Amino acid sequence: SQQGEEDPQALSIQEGENATMNCSYKTSINNLQWYRQNSGRGLVHLILIRSNEREKHSGRLRVTLDTSKKSSSLLITASRAADTASYFCATDEGNNRLAFGKGNQVVVIP
Amino acid sequence: DAGVIQSPRHEVTEMGQEVTLRCKPISGHNSLFWYRQTMMRGLELLIYFNNNVPIDDSGMPEDRFSAKMPNASFSTLKIQPSEPRDSAVYFCASSRGQGAQQPQHFGDGTRLSIL
């Protein structure tokens, strides 16, 4: 099944900087979701954005969705060491499944 | 509030043995998902239940894998017989609503090693 593809796959930044990740997909979607996974833990839901929405915010997180380009971005502002994790985008293609990308490893250096 | 609870957290067993993974979803959630995560293949959906009924089991690798949901608060994933290539982290997730329409809440997984 088609999956979201995150870019870049690995990102290393200094604490306080902003981190931006992109996700591209190939078919039409109902919604797109972003998740975070800390080492040895399960995925934690961050934001869900529906196909008729263009932007959503949650705390220091900002997600955009461009359905014409089939892409989404996740921005983490003022990063903290605790933001070190893998970040996944996942797409709902209307077949009861969330198709997850391979993930994007973010390291925030204190 | 309690999240999704999985047991055991770690399982090491020899090939050919039966393995049973357990999951307690969040109370009030009516959808339950079993996933498998490996470095090579990423996160794969194995099976999806809605209101305790299996809706999509197309991701179950082969007949050695089976899953049940006897009631709204418990599900099992069984592998019999187990093989080394089954080694992975297995996650259970639950959500309100149907399919992929709502956020999914994941347990911390079972790390399975088949020797």
Side-chain angles (χ1 to χ4, degrees):
Chain A
S1 61
Q2 177 257 312
Q3 295 178 330
E5 298 270 342
E6 295 91 349
D7 172 58
Q9 293 196 330
L11 182 63
S12 185
I13 58 174
Q14 295 286 343
E15 198 166 32
E17 293 181 340
N18 295 342
T20 300
M21 288 155 272
N22 300 303
C23 171
S24 59
Y25 57 93
K26 295 177 181 173
T27 64
S28 62
I29 60 171
N30 293 326
N31 70 65
L32 185 145
Q33 304 181 30
W34 284 92
Y35 289 79
R36 183 189 75 233
Q37 184 178 30
N38 292 94
S39 180
R41 304 296 300 273
L43 280 72
V44 174
H45 178 263
L46 297 176
I47 290 184
L48 182 154
I49 186 165
R50 302 198 184 279
S51 60
N52 60 352
E53 297 175 311
R54 291 297 167 257
E55 187 172 312
K56 286 190 86 169
H57 297 255
S58 177
R60 294 182 296 112
L61 305 181
R62 173 178 170 253
V63 167
T64 63
L65 179 64
D66 187 334
T67 53
S68 67
K69 295 182 180 179
K70 293 186 170 57
S71 68
S72 173
S73 68
L74 170 65
L75 168 67
I76 305 173
T77 60
S79 63
R80 304 168 181 169
D83 294 328
T84 293
S86 292
Y87 291 83
F88 295 83
C89 70
T91 51
D92 171 16
E93 301 160 19
N95 56 359
N96 291 321
R97 293 170 164 262
L98 269 184
F100 284 85
K102 290 290 180 68
N104 180 316
Q105 177 65 43
V106 174
V107 176
V108 180
I109 303 166
Chain B
D1 288 341
V4 174
I5 299 172
Q6 291 187 246
S7 64
R9 286 297 313 276
H10 304 273
E11 175 91 10
V12 181
T13 192
E14 293 186 346
M15 66 177 294
Q17 298 297 308
E18 178 179 292
V19 173
T20 299
L21 311 181
R22 297 173 175 79
C23 175
K24 178 179 170 55
I26 293 173
S27 177
H29 285 190
N30 59 346
S31 286
L32 183 139
F33 310 83
W34 282 101
Y35 290 91
R36 178 172 67 178
Q37 186 177 39
T38 61
M39 289 294 293
M40 289 295 294
R41 300 173 68 90
L43 200 64
E44 304 173 278
L45 177 67
L46 300 178
I47 188 168
Y48 154 55
F49 291 88
N50 183 255
N51 292 325
N52 313 337
V53 176
I55 303 299
D56 181 355
D57 65 355
S58 59
M60 295 287 264
E62 49 197 273
D63 291 346
R64 298 185 298 106
F65 285 68
S66 62
K68 295 182 179 179
M69 192 164 186
N71 56 63
S73 58
F74 184 65
S75 177
T76 60
L77 178 68
K78 187 172 293 187
I79 309 173
Q80 166 64 20
S82 57
E83 296 182 3
R85 61 192 166 116
D86 302 331
S87 297
V89 182
Y90 290 80
F91 288 102
C92 175
S94 69
S95 73
R96 300 182 189 279
Q98 293 185 344
Q101 298 175 4
Q102 297 296 329
Q104 296 184 9
H105 300 259
F106 285 72
D108 278 335
T110 295
R111 183 172 296 275
L112 178 64
S113 297
I114 307 297
L115 306 177

